[in-house]
Amino acid sequence: MIGLESSPSRLDPRYATDANSVRVGALVFNSLMRADENSQFRPELAERWEASDDRTYLFHLRKGVTFHNGKPLTATDIKYTYDSVLDPASRSPKRGPLQVIEAVEALGTHLVRFRLAAPHAPFLENATLGIVPAGSAPGPGVERNLVGSGPFTLVEHAPGDKVILKANPAYWEGPPSIPGIVFRIVPDAIVRVLEFKKGTVDFVQNDIEPDMLPWLERHTDAAFKIHQGTTFQYIGMKVDHPILRIREVRQAIAHAVDREAVIRHLLKGLGTPATGLLSPAHWAYEPHVPQYRFDPEQAKRLLDKAGFPDPDGDGPLPRFKLSYKTTTLDLRRRIAEAFKEHLSRVGIELEIRTYEWGTFYEDIKNGNFHLYSLAWVGVTDPDIYYNLFHSVSVPPNGDNRGRYNNPAIDALLEKGRTSLVLAERKRLYSQVQQTLARDLPYIPLWWAKNVVVMNPRIRGFIPYPDGELISLKRVSFSAAKPLA
Amino acid sequence: MKRYLLHRLLLFFPSLLGVLTLVFFFIHFVPGDPVEVMLGETASASDKEALRRQLGLNEPVWTQYLGFLKGLAVGDLGRSLYHQEKVMDLVLARFPATLELTLAAMAVATLCALPLGVLAAWKRRTWVDRCALLLSLFGLAMPNFWLGPLLIIAFSIQLGLLPVSGRGGLSHLILPSLTLGTAMAALLTRMIRSSLLEVIHEDYIQSARAKGLSEITVWLKHALRNSLLPVTTILGLQFGSLLAGSVITETIFTWPGIGRLTIQAIQTRDYPLVQGCVLVIAVCYLVVNLFTDILYRVIDPRISYGK
């Protein structure tokens, strides 16, 4: 029994975009490739793959794989799944990233060829799409009859209530050790903890407030697994704003924010100060970038230099005012209050504006903000920088919400997208990280730690940095409670 | 009576249309984009535009409103933008859970308030009265988000008698209905008490006493029935409030009802689903109000509804 805060929206892998849909779906559907616990792509349905040139990829499929309905999985199913996403009528949210694919061809029962419109280094990320049997019409009503080839079969999906999975006895890697999984949607944070205490929930990942962990430690025999995740929290800034366009101002804000205090007191240590979007576990991570330690005096000097002297020294008048947008979630509001206090010490008055998610997100997308804070979850390929900082990626064409524009970064990101040599890409993205750390369109805050609270009898769970639950296919329950 | 009912029925539809129209324009003018929710951040601008056209979201709001009315006239509320299921199916799947919870909360409130209110009035200015008033004060002051977890800790965790959350048999219904019904029970207790105290000095009560009827008969048969008129009004109004306002209780107890569905629909800017949820809640509210008016006549046959 697993407790989730929110309901998976759609489990069909062609439509699943929210984290819970992706995580639950990965237990029902296999894909050609899958990221392992070190975020490296490994073949799953593919036995092996090769690139015959920079635009052509061949996948040799594993033999003997069957769908839950007993039908063998073949190249036709792969072609069908990708074609059905690429069909504009599908309205699939996955269509955008896959549009680089020109054609998918079934060359035999167990051989598939992907032809790309242009060289595209992050292509393997596109090979993680869950595969459905040929003929599985997308659309309403099919959610109940979804069939995959994964370790669990879907028994029931009651949106807002629960998802029931049953072990697939014919799974090609061998059947799972547990008979099934029930994902229960428990939206209230306190009730999730109480369900765990009562023993009606065995496993919760990240959906427990930091404040409640000490209580769980004292009052239950829960096993805790705390490990570094890749979720990146940042402060985004509108870099074409008359004040924020000055780099020294952005750097001053970075120096003024006491991230470590926020991590220690509000996150209860469940975060690591971040230097940038990519975490140290990532192959392209560049550690040698400018960093901004908590230093209010340096922040004041930078603001003076930028032409914003404090009008009355330690008096009440600020150097300037900015707004900070965030959601109505309690923790987010408390973090905002801490930032307000930190910035007031260097003479910046921060006005906090909280909104429910829909309004907040619309404002951010439309560039209607000065400062805001959000997180990026599940970062795999560094090509994400293109979406975040290339000048063509200003919404609605991408997520460059702060309107950052740097031709040097644009050129690096274009090269990084098409270069297929890993060492070359590493060099390019190293330069990207150094430039961004200097220009600061984002102020890096922290990489969140993943927290798993589980029944101490559960054995074999391997945490993934992006919070994937795929290792549940190998977990078992020990017969007795372990000795303390 | 017939004319009155006809008059109320004629008002029913304009009222419903008014509510739906207000909600339609409110939800459309609140910032937020359902296409962004459906296609995600990575969709191209042209795909988003195409979907917007396909869903008719690029049309002026007035045109969309007329389209909505046309659908409504033939009973078609459209498909949920987020779930891609028929709105009516989604709403009807969740509605029984909310109705069950609301009715149980009403039952809890009435069963607690009736004896407590009568007792408080009967034993006015004694410790029984003061206890009842204090209890009702607590009931009114306790917010659901606090009372719910408190009841779970007591009855589910400490005593182990009841499940923590979820919908199932009767055992699952007890704590949510207590949580939802407590404030209403408190309000009703005070209403019944004050209403009884008003009628107990009326002439007809003195006549009943003079006829030699026992004090219990006087209170329960003569006073209580006449004091129920204002209480019925509150019950009717509260039913609607409970139905629409059960979202906090539904969230605490993981109750798969219409309140949570409405909040989720608003957050994802799922316009058709918001309309569907509001339609069901508004219809219930109006029907209950109509029913309350009819009940007045049953309780007090002297009431006349015009010529």
Side-chain angles (χ1 to χ4, degrees):
Chain A
M1 191 78 79
I2 294 181
L4 296 178
E5 184 196 1
S6 58
S7 183
S9 61
R10 293 186 76 180
L11 294 177
D12 187 327
R14 295 169 291 181
Y15 296 89
T17 48
D18 62 283
N20 283 340
S21 296
V22 172
R23 286 168 191 164
V24 175
L27 296 164
V28 179
F29 304 94
N30 288 134
S31 48
L32 287 170
M33 307 288 287
R34 186 175 297 285
D36 66 11
E37 63 268 34
N38 299 314
S39 302
Q40 300 288 324
F41 290 113
R42 306 268 178 227
E44 190 175 60
L45 285 176
E47 213 164 40
R48 60 195 167 85
W49 65 277
E50 65 209 60
S52 49
D53 59 58
D54 61 3
R55 295 179 191 204
T56 312
Y57 290 79
L58 281 168
F59 290 90
H60 299 264
L61 300 187
R62 202 175 286 282
K63 294 182 181 74
V65 178
T66 56
F67 285 109
H68 301 146
N69 57 9
K71 190 178 157 267
L73 188 149
T74 66
T76 315
D77 302 304
I78 310 283
K79 177 177 165 49
Y80 173 81
T81 304
Y82 277 86
D83 284 349
S84 69
V85 171
L86 288 167
D87 179 358
S90 72
R91 293 192 204 167
S92 165
K94 305 268 177 92
R95 185 166 170 261
L98 293 188
Q99 272 180 316
V100 68
I101 299 172
E102 203 170 59
V104 184
E105 298 155 300
L107 300 181
T109 317
H110 294 101
L111 185 62
V112 192
R113 180 164 65 193
F114 286 78
R115 279 195 289 110
L116 309 186
H120 189 65
F123 171 70
L124 284 186
E125 202 171 351
N126 296 339
T128 58
L129 176 69
I131 302 300
V132 295
S136 307
V142 295
E143 196 84 342
R144 283 180 280 275
N145 308 313
L146 279 176
V147 168
S149 59
F152 292 91
T153 60
L154 178 66
V155 178
E156 186 188 348
H157 177 201
D161 188 14
K162 62 189 168 207
V163 180
I164 302 176
L165 305 183
K166 194 178 74 178
N168 171 12
Y171 186 51
W172 54 274
E173 279 185 304
S177 311
I178 50 175
I181 304 172
V182 177
F183 291 90
R184 275 197 57 200
I185 319 305
V186 187
D188 189 85
I190 295 172
V191 177
R192 275 195 301 281
V193 169
L194 294 176
E195 288 278 15
F196 188 87
K197 163 80 178 154
K198 176 123 173 128
T200 38
V201 160
D202 297 301
F203 184 103
V204 184
Q205 179 177 257
N206 292 344
D207 285 342
I208 287 187
E209 298 284 317
D211 283 347
M212 295 183 192
L213 291 172
W215 186 89
L216 272 171
E217 228 165 338
R218 279 197 307 275
H219 294 94
T220 68
D221 57 357
F224 293 85
K225 268 187 193 275
I226 297 177
H227 56 282
Q228 189 56 57
T230 52
T231 297
F232 167 69
Q233 189 79 37
Y234 64 92
I235 294 177
M237 288 176 283
K238 187 86 188 304
V239 291
D240 59 359
H241 180 270
I243 295 175
L244 291 168
R245 67 186 306 164
I246 304 165
R247 187 164 64 184
E248 282 77 14
V249 171
R250 302 198 294 271
Q251 291 175 337
I253 295 173
H255 275 302
V257 168
D258 190 353
R259 297 175 298 166
E260 299 206 359
V262 173
I263 292 170
R264 197 165 49 247
H265 298 297
L266 296 179
L267 300 184
K268 307 292 175 202
L270 296 176
T272 307
T275 53
L277 175 64
L278 300 181
S279 75
H282 198 280
W283 59 265
Y285 171 67
E286 174 53 66
H288 303 295
V289 296
Q291 293 184 28
Y292 302 86
R293 292 182 192 289
F294 174 56
D295 188 348
E297 293 311 313
Q298 174 64 5
K300 286 178 188 170
R301 280 193 291 275
L302 282 165
L303 290 171
D304 290 341
K305 190 179 157 196
F308 296 100
D310 198 329
D312 58 351
D314 288 337
L317 289 178
R319 295 169 194 261
F320 53 80
K321 293 180 188 176
L322 291 171
S323 70
Y324 174 93
K325 293 195 173 178
T326 187
T327 61
T328 47
L329 289 175
D330 186 46
L331 183 61
R332 298 291 150 218
R333 281 193 284 118
R334 281 190 284 154
I335 290 172
E337 291 292 343
F339 290 161
K340 181 185 168 84
E341 166 64 19
H342 298 160
L343 292 188
S344 75
R345 288 183 207 160
V346 300
I348 300 174
E349 186 177 323
L350 202 62
E351 185 195 348
I352 298 168
R353 296 186 188 167
T354 55
Y355 300 92
E356 61 86 33
W357 172 258
T359 309
F360 167 73
Y361 189 62
E362 184 75 2
D363 272 0
I364 301 309
K365 205 182 59 184
N366 291 337
N368 182 17
F369 61 86
H370 295 155
L371 304 176
Y372 71 95
S373 184
L374 265 176
W376 285 106
V377 182
V379 176
T380 46
D381 196 280
D383 185 55
I384 187 174
Y385 281 115
Y386 190 96
N387 187 43
L388 304 190
F389 300 114
H390 195 288
S391 57
V392 301
S393 297
V394 168
N397 299 316
D399 293 315
N400 185 355
R401 298 156 183 160
R403 277 65 177 169
Y404 176 69
N405 189 340
N406 181 341
I409 280 284
D410 287 357
L412 287 169
L413 294 176
E414 282 157 21
K415 279 188 205 159
R417 174 169 267 203
T418 49
S419 167
L420 298 181
V421 182
L422 197 69
E424 168 70 0
R425 291 190 84 204
K426 191 169 164 51
R427 189 183 63 76
L428 291 167
Y429 286 113
S430 162
Q431 287 178 47
V432 168
Q433 289 169 81
Q434 285 170 357
T435 311
L436 291 176
R438 209 166 32 249
D439 280 358
L440 277 189
Y442 278 5
I443 295 175
L445 292 175
W446 52 79
W447 295 297
K449 288 182 182 173
N450 289 325
V451 183
V452 175
V453 178
M454 59 184 188
N455 183 325
R457 288 175 51 221
I458 292 179
R459 294 279 174 271
F461 176 74
I462 299 167
Y464 276 50
D466 56 1
E468 282 288 340
L469 297 172
I470 189 68
S471 70
L472 288 175
K473 67 184 175 185
R474 288 285 160 261
V475 302
S476 59
F477 276 85
S478 66
K481 206 169 145 177
L483 292 173
Chain B
M1 180 75 172
K2 272 184 193 164
R3 273 187 69 161
Y4 175 77
L5 276 180
L6 195 69
H7 175 71
R8 285 299 305 263
L9 279 172
L10 284 176
L11 275 178
F12 183 96
F13 292 103
S15 309
L16 191 61
L17 190 65
V19 171
L20 291 174
T21 304
L22 276 178
V23 171
F24 184 92
F25 286 103
F26 277 148
I27 188 78
H28 276 78
F29 289 133
V30 167
D33 185 359
V35 169
E36 197 76 37
V37 177
M38 290 171 79
L39 290 187
E41 294 159 349
T42 47
S44 68
S46 59
D47 279 357
K48 287 179 191 170
E49 197 44 48
L51 181 57
R52 212 165 270 126
R53 266 201 308 279
Q54 199 178 340
L55 297 173
L57 295 172
N58 60 332
E59 302 280 350
V61 181
W62 277 108
T63 317
Q64 291 184 51
Y65 177 65
L66 289 176
F68 163 69
L69 288 185
K70 273 184 200 163
L72 191 66
V74 292
D76 179 14
L77 292 174
R79 281 189 186 280
S80 153
L81 301 177
Y82 187 71
H83 298 278
Q84 292 292 305
E85 304 259 353
K86 278 186 178 169
V87 165
M88 199 48 99
D89 292 351
L90 282 168
V91 172
L92 291 182
R94 294 288 196 96
F95 184 63
T98 298
L99 192 65
E100 179 185 312
L101 180 58
T102 308
L103 289 175
M106 291 272 288
V108 165
T110 317
L111 289 176
C112 294
L114 214 54
L116 214 58
V118 172
L119 216 58
W122 197 2
K123 302 282 180 190
R124 190 160 71 111
R125 290 182 187 159
T126 65
W127 65 270
V128 177
D129 183 23
R130 284 189 201 104
C131 281
L133 287 178
L134 197 66
L135 269 177
S136 71
L137 188 69
F138 272 120
L140 281 170
M142 279 189 294
N144 288 0
F145 61 80
W146 183 75
L147 179 63
L150 207 70
L151 289 173
I152 294 174
I153 290 169
F155 293 98
S156 306
I157 305 295
Q158 299 296 336
L159 299 174
L161 295 174
L162 296 167
V164 176
S165 68
R167 187 180 178 218
L170 186 66
S171 60
H172 285 84
L173 190 58
I174 295 172
L175 294 185
S177 55
L178 269 176
T179 306
L180 191 61
T182 297
M184 190 178 167
L187 186 70
L188 282 180
T189 303
R190 284 175 168 254
M191 284 294 299
I192 291 170
R193 177 186 176 276
S194 60
S195 192
L196 267 172
L197 289 176
E198 259 176 47
V199 300
I200 206 69
H201 300 299
E202 295 283 337
D203 290 347
Y204 59 86
I205 298 290
Q206 303 307 330
S207 306
R209 280 191 176 127
K211 280 195 289 181
L213 293 176
S214 72
E215 199 61 10
I216 291 184
T217 313
V218 169
W219 276 85
L220 296 185
K221 198 172 171 192
H222 294 269
L224 187 60
R225 180 165 178 174
N226 284 296
S227 70
L228 282 182
L229 210 59
V231 176
T232 312
T233 314
I234 293 292
L235 266 175
L237 290 172
Q238 284 290 310
F239 182 82
S241 306
L242 289 184
L243 203 66
S246 59
V247 58
I248 292 172
T249 311
E250 286 185 4
T251 304
I252 293 168
F253 290 97
T254 319
W255 196 262
I258 208 165
R260 273 173 63 203
L261 188 70
T262 311
I263 294 296
Q264 189 202 40
I266 293 170
Q267 283 171 343
T268 53
R269 301 294 184 267
D270 194 337
Y271 301 145
L273 190 54
V274 173
Q275 291 293 125
C277 293
V278 170
L279 175 74
V280 170
I281 292 170
V283 166
C284 282
Y285 202 88
L286 292 171
V287 165
V288 168
N289 268 301
L290 186 65
F291 185 69
T292 311
D293 283 353
I294 298 169
L295 210 62
Y296 280 174
R297 177 71 184 254
V298 177
I299 294 170
D300 189 351
R302 292 170 304 173
I303 290 179
S304 151
Y305 293 108
K307 293 171 203 170

